[in-house]
Amino acid sequence: MKLTGRAFVFGDRIDTDLLAPGPYMRQPLDVLAAHCLEAIDPGFAAEVRPGDIVVGGESFGVGSSREQAVQALAKLGVGAIIAKSFARIFYRNALNLGVPALVCPQLQAERGQRIEVQPIEGRVVNLDTGREYRCDPIPAQLMEIVTAGGLMPWLEQKLARERQA
Amino acid sequence: MAATLTEKIIARACGRDAVKPGEIVTGRLDLLMMHDSGGPRRVASRLEKLGARVWDPDKVVVVSDHFVPAVDLESAQILALTRNWARAQGVRHYDMLGICHVVLQEHGHVRPGMFCVGGDSHSPSGGAFGAFMVGMGATDITGALVTGEVWVRVPTTTRIQLDGRLARGVSAKDVMLMLCGTLGMGNEGQVFEFGGAAVGALSMHERLTLCNMTAELGAVTGIVPPDATTVAALEATGQSFGVDLAAWQSDPDAGFGAVHRHDAATLAPQVAAPHSPANSRPVTDYEPIAIDQCYIGACTGAKLDDLRMAAEVLKGRKVATTTRLLIAPASAAMTNQAAAEGTLATLTAAGAILLPSGCGACAGMGAGMLGDSEVGISTTARNFKGRMGSTHSQVYLASPYAVAAAAVKGVICDPRELLEEWA
């Protein structure tokens, strides 16, 4: 799998309330997604295109357990999230939902630069600067979930195996 | 082999003699909690798609606390779905009786040594009872409901040693704001274990506050080794528990990642400036900033002990005419206790406005939201931009003492000065 998109670069501690604001949490996902990150970047939801890549700093996704923080980005078409580090629950949610979340502390990228990502291999390239980066590896135990495309497909496969047995 | 309390609980849950920090292991669940926002509304259709059933209805608890009471059609539908699903599955459902982390402990669901998950980021609260309890999102919860198992990366135990005693007007909330200010929000991969004389002297409500806000430290969870106070609280739920206190302690020679020692007596009340709990500083560093709304609410800041702290400050005083004080007690049972002992009358006589028990404005969902350019001070855990209303509002975080003091003066001020006048 290889993804290519434009970088949308944010700072440290992008929290779940910025990604999925509480006042819209009982609305359908498309309504919620339209408000994703509006508190710090009002143009983001309108500007982001399918395949674009969000680049964050430390503790990306800190705060609530709400999965809509991941789903809002995915709904807008974000293809991958790369950060210096992730908050634990957000990272689990992203893997579970089949949204590539990669830890790549060295990545240097500016807004609008084209980024290529190979999530399974853990490789990121800034196509505009030509620099290549290695991501922290996804633990082997979790790779099963990632390669299945998320926790739901992984569970479907597991249950199918058990029913056959 | 020497182990910390957390390592002992995880080892027991995954059927091993010992586990090491950093290992990924899978444990059998003793309890799974979910609420109306991340619960049935989001897992029911997934379970249906999988054609799967709940692994053990006796180990599942549902609490409706986020969209209560219904204020519009969307919230009414979510609450109805939650109610119907819980009934059909035969699981315990606490419907509009208070906030999940508080309701769980009121009914004795969380006990020492248990391995638990909750579909809410403040699930670390359960650690107050010497259990390992972590928060998860809805897909993770779906998997746990089907398998009865959860994978975890064994955290490194960071010990917070609080010696001495907290001074009057200083609370567990101040301890946690101070830790957020000094350690930041990026303490991933750690469990914070709280100990020392000051923790031993704390009530269960205060210990809940300690563990609750390890979420804001970015930690995996928090834990307080159980003692006589824990056992007394469990017995007060009306059930009898055989708790092996000696079994659920960290060994003295266990491998702690770090030990942070603090003299509790020197801690001053803390206030976190917008828009992060990590912006915490002693209240004495602040100018008297004018406050539009004072909010006492949430699992973090509206338990009975929190209401009592506010009442201590508000007794015989009035809320300043330039501000407003909203109080959403953390549970229906606590409202009842506060009414029976007179605490509630003290608060309402001062001019406090009572709101329903639930997550409310803390999560930007219920009554008490802030408008553009409004400034609030709150006993809740998070002051992220826009969390309590407008993205142009500002929220300061503080203890119930400090929020009550701000309500009296209309500005951020040191609650110890008001308490001294009554001494």
Side-chain angles (χ1 to χ4, degrees), chain B residues 58-392:
Chain B
D58 290 340
K59 293 196 167 101
V60 177
V61 176
V62 177
V63 183
S64 291
D65 59 4
H66 272 62
F67 298 112
V68 301
V71 291
D72 54 20
L73 191 56
E74 285 91 357
S75 39
Q77 305 282 32
I78 293 168
L79 292 172
L81 186 155
T82 305
R83 206 171 283 131
N84 294 336
W85 185 87
R87 241 178 238 153
Q89 299 292 321
V91 303
R92 282 298 285 275
H93 180 209
Y94 298 102
D95 199 358
M96 301 203 282
L97 291 172
I99 303 170
C100 55
H101 311 297
V102 170
V103 170
L104 277 189
Q105 60 93 18
E106 283 179 337
H107 294 272
H109 286 291
V110 185
R111 303 189 288 277
M114 284 173 72
F115 180 78
C116 319
V117 296
D120 188 275
S121 61
H122 284 113
S123 298
S125 304
F129 283 78
F132 178 82
M133 186 156 184
V134 292
M136 300 199 319
T139 303
D140 246 341
I141 287 287
T142 307
L145 280 169
V146 173
T147 62
E149 294 178 345
V150 160
W151 67 265
V152 292
R153 192 194 287 267
V154 180
T156 302
T157 302
T158 299
R159 171 95 175 174
I160 302 295
Q161 181 76 20
L162 291 174
D163 299 321
R165 285 289 278 270
L166 290 171
R168 186 168 182 223
V170 182
S171 69
K173 178 67 177 288
D174 300 301
V175 172
M176 294 315 293
L177 289 176
M178 178 273 289
L179 290 177
C180 288
T182 54
L183 300 175
M185 296 186 73
N187 299 283
E188 280 107 18
Q190 297 174 47
V191 51
F192 280 76
E193 179 182 299
F194 297 92
V199 175
L202 289 179
S203 70
M204 291 315 292
H205 291 180
E206 284 284 83
R207 296 179 190 189
L208 279 162
T209 305
L210 290 181
C211 292
N212 176 283
M213 278 195 71
T214 59
E216 280 56 55
L217 289 168
V220 174
T221 188
I223 197 162
V224 179
D227 60 10
T229 304
T230 322
V231 175
L234 287 169
E235 284 174 350
T237 65
Q239 301 167 62
S240 171
F241 297 98
V243 175
D244 185 356
L245 281 185
W248 301 118
Q249 306 291 330
S250 287
D251 295 323
D253 53 342
F256 292 100
V259 179
H260 300 287
R261 280 186 173 275
H262 295 275
D263 177 6
T266 62
L267 183 68
Q270 305 284 306
V271 175
H275 298 285
S276 170
N279 296 339
S280 291
R281 299 195 308 272
V283 65
T284 46
D285 285 8
Y286 284 84
E287 298 293 315
I289 297 159
I291 298 292
D292 298 303
Q293 174 172 293
C294 306
Y295 186 84
I296 293 176
C299 48
T300 313
K303 301 173 291 297
L304 183 58
D305 280 12
D306 299 312
L307 303 181
R308 287 171 177 161
M309 288 179 216
E312 223 180 298
V313 173
L314 288 163
K315 191 170 168 42
R317 295 192 168 108
K318 293 283 182 199
V319 173
T321 53
T322 55
T323 191
R324 54 191 189 262
L325 172 61
L326 309 183
I327 302 183
S331 80
M334 287 174 178
T335 306
N336 187 37
Q337 283 169 283
E341 70 183 28
T343 297
L344 207 54
T346 303
L347 300 174
T348 52
I353 296 155
L354 279 185
L355 300 178
S357 291
C359 303
C362 170
M365 290 169 176
M369 303 237 274
L370 294 165
D372 288 352
S373 81
E374 281 201 304
V375 180
I377 189 165
S378 174
T379 64
T380 55
R382 293 182 184 141
N383 55 348
F384 299 151
K385 203 171 185 196
R387 179 165 167 96
M388 293 186 80
S390 165
T391 57
H392 302 292

Side-chain angles (χ1 to χ4, degrees), chain B residues 38-62:
Chain B
R41 165 201 187 192
R42 297 181 54 77
V43 305
S45 61
R46 289 178 163 107
L47 287 173
E48 221 166 278
K49 185 162 177 275
L50 291 169
R53 300 179 60 82
V54 171
W55 99 100
D56 185 349
D58 290 340
K59 293 196 167 101
V60 177
V61 176
V62 177

